[in-house]
Amino acid sequence: SQGCTIFDTVKVSVTAAPTLAINGGASGASLAICSGSSVTLRASNGTTPYIWSPATGLSSTTGDSVVASPTVPTTYTVPSITGSCVSTATVTVVVNPRPTLTFPALSALCANSPAVTLGATPSGGTYSGTGVSGIVFNPAIAGVGSHTITYSFTDANGCSNTINRTITVNPLPSGTAGSDLTICAGQSTVLSASGGSNYQWTALNGNTVLSTSASVVVSPTSTSRYVVRIANSQGCAIFD
């Protein structure tokens, strides 16, 4: 108050806030996972303890490394304190859906049926299973029985999905038309087939059905050949 003056100094030290990193990247980065998957989040360049938030989808809220398994896109935050300085890093985990697959039901086939083309969608995936080659299922290669065919598909986001279908290959009847016969001119004879549940007799290279029974009476005027279609209860047939 008398106008006398002195000088003094004060030092202000600036402590740099820690530059936090998550998975080695800068704050604000995004990581993508597929629905049902998880990703490990690793904090570095800060001071422990690391405390993560929100807790939704996290294996733990503390630690430099946690596993995130969110079901929807979620932004996680982790702070670091050095003295009175606080730094915060964030990372957003984006959840991509897995592709939706359709695979029509497969009808039963016979062991001698032709190969069938498989038709799951979206196209461009991979089929696997016994009797499968590329996009074709061959019952002759698969053999009699029940077989599982798996279709796997990966989309542009790297998310994959699989779908299974079962197909049945039915056996062929073990039937026969019997042995060749010799008769005298003017005579008749009975041809008898066995081994099936349904029969159809015709002359070789003929279209006329002679009988739909296991047996048929024939009276050829010259040496002739006859064909029988023998089918089982699954509708599978052979010719003899």
Side-chain angles (χ1 to χ4, degrees):
S1 62
Q2 288 83 16
C4 299
T5 303
I6 64 171
F7 293 90
D8 197 6
T9 62
V10 61
K11 180 181 178 180
V12 178
S13 297
V14 179
T15 301
T19 304
L20 273 175
I22 298 178
N23 289 16
S27 176
S30 295
L31 299 172
I33 64 172
C34 300
S35 177
S37 297
S38 60
V39 62
T40 299
L41 304 178
R42 295 182 177 86
S44 60
N45 299 340
T47 55
T48 58
Y50 294 110
I51 301 176
W52 300 79
S53 64
T56 305
L58 292 181
S59 59
S60 173
T61 56
T62 60
D64 59 349
S65 179
V66 297
V67 177
S69 308
T71 57
V72 295
T74 304
T75 298
Y76 293 101
T77 300
V78 59
S80 177
I81 301 174
T82 302
S84 60
C85 300
V86 179
S87 177
T88 301
T90 62
V91 63
T92 299
V93 179
V94 178
V95 183
N96 291 318
R98 295 188 180 274
T100 300
L101 309 183
T102 59
F103 195 171
L106 301 171
S107 300
L109 301 173
C110 298
N112 60 352
S113 295
V116 295
T117 299
L118 304 170
T121 57
S123 60
T126 302
Y127 296 94
S128 61
T130 304
V132 174
S133 177
I135 62 171
V136 172
F137 173 77
N138 191 329
I141 295 176
V144 172
S146 180
H147 305 283
T148 298
I149 299 175
T150 299
Y151 181 67
S152 304
F153 179 83
T154 301
D155 64 16
N157 292 320
C159 296
S160 60
N161 207 350
T162 61
I163 187 171
N164 297 323
R165 282 290 178 264
T166 299
I167 187 169
T168 299
V169 178
N170 290 318
L172 301 177
S174 56
T176 177
S179 302
D180 291 343
L181 300 173
T182 300
I183 61 174
C184 297
Q187 290 184 330
S188 298
T189 189
V190 177
L191 306 179
S192 297
S194 61
S197 57
N198 293 285
Y199 304 89
Q200 181 175 289
W201 287 93
T202 59
L204 183 65
N205 299 324
N207 296 321
T208 301
V209 176
L210 303 178
S211 174
T212 55
S213 300
S215 299
V216 62
V217 177
V218 295
S219 305
T221 57
S222 61
T223 299
S224 302
R225 292 184 178 276
Y226 299 90
V227 178
V228 61
R229 180 184 183 273
I230 305 171
N232 57 22
S233 58
Q234 288 87 19
C236 298
I238 60 171
F239 293 85
D240 196 19

